[in-house]
Amino acid sequence: MSESTNAKKSDGIGSMIKLGLILAAFSIGACTVLALVNNVTAPVIDANNNSKAKAAMKEIFPSADDFESAKEKCGTTASGVTTLDSMYYAKSGSDIIGAVVQISGPTYDRSTIIVGMDNDGIVTGMRYLENNDTKSFGQNGSDPDYKVKSGDTFYGQFAGKNSADGFVAGETFDAITGATITSNGIATMMNDACTAMGECL
């Protein structure tokens, strides 16, 4: 093998190593930038989510003037398929007048709702915080322009319902047209949320 052939092989290996080092440097740089961006944006996203949840709590439980965390009550739900994200006692002065729960679970995709219930087991309201279902079907559940048979919004119809009656799509509440899976998923979340609140009121 000639010296020129050995030199070419050496140059080829050197070029590959150089290219590998350049790619590694770019990867490290990109990861560092992403980490820095995440550190800046994560607190802002959390603050926005908390603000959205607090606004929804006040909307579904207007008679409450304060909400006290009952995080220790969070955990496994009755169905085992939903997640109790947070729970708050709804208070008027020093009196507990009900509770509010944020709960997530499978619908057609996945949704997160917030539900309020007073001490008598009456639902004070329900709102969506997140709805990842199909547009024009499951997403109608969180659409303020979509009306169910009763003439109310899908989410608005839950206010005033007695949790003791349970939640069954098409029976105790109007289902979303063409979205049976979503409606059944919401029924499960409503039942789990009210059961959890009932256990601590």
Side-chain angles (χ1 to χ4, degrees), residues 31-168:
C31 288
T32 302
V33 169
L34 286 173
L36 290 172
V37 169
N38 184 61
N39 284 340
V40 172
T41 59
V44 175
I45 291 168
D46 286 344
N48 286 340
N49 287 339
N50 288 336
S51 177
K52 186 178 176 182
K54 284 181 181 177
M57 282 191 281
K58 189 62 183 164
E59 188 178 348
I60 64 171
F61 217 126
S63 58
D65 51 40
D66 192 22
F67 297 94
E68 181 182 295
S69 177
K71 192 169 186 177
E72 71 280 358
K73 301 289 185 180
C74 296
T76 306
T77 57
S79 71
V81 298
T82 63
T83 303
L84 207 58
D85 301 319
S86 61
M87 182 183 287
Y88 294 85
Y89 291 113
K91 300 182 80 176
S92 178
S94 60
D95 297 329
I96 293 173
I97 58 173
V100 175
V101 158
Q102 179 179 319
I103 189 167
S104 301
T107 44
Y108 189 77
D109 187 345
R110 191 164 183 85
S111 296
T112 299
I113 62 173
I114 193 160
V115 185
M117 187 176 83
D118 68 18
N119 290 340
D120 297 320
I122 304 301
V123 175
T124 61
M126 184 275 261
R127 293 292 182 274
Y128 276 83
L129 293 180
E130 189 174 339
N131 183 351
N132 294 315
D133 287 353
T134 309
K135 192 174 181 180
S136 299
F137 291 98
Q139 280 193 13
N140 283 337
S142 56
D143 185 348
D145 295 323
Y146 177 80
K147 307 294 186 218
V148 292
K149 291 177 192 172
S150 65
D152 207 342
T153 58
F154 174 74
Y155 56 83
Q157 69 177 311
F158 293 98
K161 291 198 179 292
N162 191 332
S163 62
D165 296 334
F167 298 93
V168 180

